[in-house]
Amino acid sequence: MALDPAALSAPALLAQARADLRARAQPGDAPAMAAYLKADPVTFLGVHAPERRAVLLALPRELGRAPETLRAVVEGLWDGPAGGGPMREERQLAVDLAARFRAFVCLDQLDLFERMVREGAWWDLVDMVATKLVGGVWRRERATVGPLMDRWIEDEDLWIRRTALLGQLKHKQDADLDRLFSHCRATLHEREFFIAKAIGWALREQAKTHPSAVQAFLAAEWGRLQPLSRREASQILVKQGWRPPS
């Protein structure tokens, strides 16, 4: 029998998720996981992605029909328990949970997704939020989110700028190429690794569905692009026979 969404308790669900994560943790793996992400080992439980997904699926589907409760659970996982900082896997689960329900990926939650980007401040969390959450809202609400991304690309926070670049990564034929190219031009002078990488990644992904447009952009901007952006952006096109400008 399905649960009544009104009966769902955010504190109880938070407690369930935290207990389940810890039951599935392999503490001995935490140092290697932290080293891979260049993070503090004490912020990792040692929960691998398949086990984290099992925790996600154990949470009731009825959460999708209780947006206020769902947001409370997502925020609780993201923020961590009172008096203690969040664990990495709790934050990863928070993103997974938000992305699980399509109706939750909406304009009403965009302030939360922005907070996740600013506070996550590292590629593993930011890229999940950028592609699954911000990108999801963007795809459905182009008239509103597109102009917002024009402001994000000028933000002083590099992770906000990276999100503006990666937000259309999964949009394929629906991508706003003019806006993507504008955002690339706005940041191609930056030597920051995570921006140069994002430019190349975004262009490479669009080269799968818009090869001619990406070729034209690369030909026009090749001399100004960072070497990392060039390599990333041209990989697929070079394999197809395209020759970069000399």
Side-chain angles (χ1 to χ4, degrees), residues 162-170 175 177 180-181 183-184 195-210 214 229 232-233:
R162 182 173 169 94
T163 297
L165 289 164
L166 297 182
Q168 297 194 84
L169 207 66
K170 298 180 182 296
L177 292 183
L180 172 62
F181 295 156
H183 291 174
C184 289
I195 296 300
K197 182 80 170 180
I199 290 172
W201 186 11
L203 292 172
R204 184 183 74 215
E205 195 64 22
Q206 295 307 327
K208 297 176 182 178
T209 47
H210 306 279
V214 174
S229 300
E232 290 287 328

Side-chain angles (χ1 to χ4, degrees), residues 162-239:
R162 182 173 169 94
T163 297
L165 289 164
L166 297 182
Q168 297 194 84
L169 207 66
K170 298 180 182 296
H171 290 192
K172 298 183 179 180
Q173 294 289 354
D174 296 331
D176 181 345
L177 292 183
D178 288 341
R179 182 159 266 126
L180 172 62
F181 295 156
S182 174
H183 291 174
C184 289
R185 289 189 180 98
T187 50
L188 55 76
H189 65 282
E190 296 191 39
R191 295 187 177 276
E192 165 59 50
F193 171 86
F194 289 106
I195 296 300
K197 182 80 170 180
I199 290 172
W201 186 11
L203 292 172
R204 184 183 74 215
E205 195 64 22
Q206 295 307 327
K208 297 176 182 178
T209 47
H210 306 279
S212 297
V214 174
Q215 284 180 25
F217 176 83
L218 291 177
E221 302 295 349
W222 192 258
R224 297 203 299 152
L225 286 162
Q226 300 296 329
L228 174 59
S229 300
R230 293 176 182 173
R231 289 195 302 272
E232 290 287 328
S234 63
Q235 281 182 10
I236 292 173
L237 298 175
V238 168
K239 289 180 180 178

Side-chain angles (χ1 to χ4, degrees), residues 9 30-31 39 48 66 69 79 91 101 112 116 122 130 145 158 161 164 181-182 188 192 200 203 210 216 228:
S9 163
H48 294 275
T69 303
D79 293 335
R91 286 195 156 183
F101 301 104
L112 172 58
M116 287 175 156
W122 200 240
V145 179
L158 78 89
R161 299 197 303 280
F181 295 156
S182 174
L188 55 76
E192 165 59 50
L203 292 172
H210 306 279
L228 174 59

Side-chain angles (χ1 to χ4, degrees), residues 12 25 39 68 88 97 101 125 149 180 199 203:
E68 292 184 2
R88 195 58 154 243
L97 181 58
F101 301 104
L125 294 171
M149 293 300 108
L180 172 62
I199 290 172
L203 292 172

